[in-house]
Amino acid sequence: GRQWLGSTHGCIVVDSKDRVYLSVDRGPAVLVFSRGGELVGTLGDDWGPGVHGLAIIQRPGADGSTEERLLAVHTARQEVLEVGLDGEVHRRIGLPTASGKYDDPGRYRPTSVALAPDGRFFVADGYGLSWIHRFSPEGEYELSFGGPGSEDQHLRTPHGLWMETRGETPTLLVADRENHRIARFDLEGRYLGGTDPASGLLRRPCHIQREGDTYVVADLAGRTTLLGPDLELLAHLGDNPEAEQRARYQVAPMDWREGAFCAPHCARANSHGELFVMDWNIAGRVTRLVPAPEPPPEPEAPSGQDR
């Protein structure tokens, strides 16, 4: 039967075993599901509501193996937590006081985090002053970029981050929601270009994550967009024809349209090409999409006969 999640205003990530981690605002902060949708665990039973951004990272284990951990951005508690998949908290990164950007500490409302290959953290103040802050591998503040500045540099609600490690040097992709674009930066905060806000490609992009060669962008204004390696359009999925349902939190389950999203807030593909999309929704809504089956091959025409 259907599981009522309560308010979904968070993120989805998938670990190496294709388990799905979902942050919610009722009960435990993170729910863990099997690929097929069975609840198999929870994290953060006492964290309270406000876990917004999630990332799965790899850490070297004591025996030389790799250990997966979760980065959780807690908007309400203004911190990033690094936790084991067993729920043990290993690190907390709090308010970047040393940045000098926050005369009023209450203006800091982080929404997303990405980890660079060298261990540096990038945290987006997506619901606050729209800075992106870089922290050392030890969690010490280093620099900020993306706040008030040039037209290209200035971010408006940098809601989601993705660390792109393909290519010669890593870059940071930003779902710059209220500038209607994906923006790319180097790890020193220099703007490297992005999608054209005037093209209509993206309405209000919330998160960008990659699986294989495909970027998945949850667009709050009623659709999920697939982009290729150069951020070119592959497909728009589930575009809601009812404009009044787009980016609306209060759409009741009885009014949900099959195959149409209301307010995609996060979307993530697994290793099987299945796609999990979270709507920002009062009742809680996650949709699982599976790849369309390959069409059967056309039968060969008998030799010597016209087709």
Side-chain angles (χ1 to χ4, degrees), residues 162-183:
W162 176 260
M163 183 63 59
E164 182 49 77
T165 54
R166 295 182 300 182
E168 292 182 17
T169 55
T171 58
L172 186 71
L173 292 175
V174 183
D176 187 14
R177 194 176 76 186
E178 303 312 325
N179 279 330
H180 323 292
R181 65 173 180 167
I182 300 297

Side-chain angles (χ1 to χ4, degrees), residues 18-201:
D18 277 326
R19 289 176 298 208
V20 180
Y21 295 72
L22 185 77
S23 53
V24 293
D25 277 344
R26 183 182 74 181
V30 179
L31 306 178
V32 188
F33 292 91
S34 69
R35 174 187 163 199
E38 178 189 359
L39 183 67
V40 295
T42 63
L43 298 171
D45 292 6
D46 58 349
W47 293 356
V51 171
H52 186 280
L54 298 176
I56 289 274
I57 63 169
Q58 308 285 334
R59 290 293 196 201
D63 57 358
S65 62
T66 336
E67 176 194 351
E68 284 186 297
R69 290 185 184 173
L70 190 72
L71 297 179
V73 183
H74 204 305
T75 301
R77 285 166 45 166
Q78 300 177 287
E79 64 181 2
V80 177
L81 297 94
E82 179 179 332
V83 300
L85 299 189
D86 58 359
E88 181 185 351
V89 178
H90 294 273
R91 183 197 312 262
R92 298 174 186 270
I93 299 174
L95 179 75
T97 309
S99 69
K101 309 292 186 192
Y102 298 96
D103 293 336
D104 174 3
R107 296 299 302 277
Y108 181 57
R109 299 190 64 207
T111 54
S112 190
V113 61
L115 186 72
D118 63 6
R120 289 180 292 179
F121 297 86
F122 290 77
V123 182
D125 184 17
Y127 288 160
L129 299 184
S130 288
W131 292 99
I132 293 174
H133 304 292
R134 193 182 83 195
F135 297 83
S136 74
E138 294 72 40
E140 300 297 320
Y141 170 79
E142 292 185 341
L143 57 82
S144 306
F145 58 93
S150 73
E151 187 174 334
D152 284 339
Q153 292 274 118
H154 181 41
L155 300 172
R156 294 176 62 215
T157 313
H159 190 276
L161 301 179
W162 176 260
M163 183 63 59
E164 182 49 77
T165 54
R166 295 182 300 182
E168 292 182 17
T169 55
T171 58
L172 186 71
L173 292 175
V174 183
D176 187 14
R177 194 176 76 186
E178 303 312 325
N179 279 330
H180 323 292
R181 65 173 180 167
I182 300 297
R184 188 188 296 272
F185 292 85
D186 71 14
L187 301 196
E188 300 303 314
R190 288 182 285 258
Y191 178 68
L192 301 175
T195 62
D196 178 5
S199 68
L201 173 67

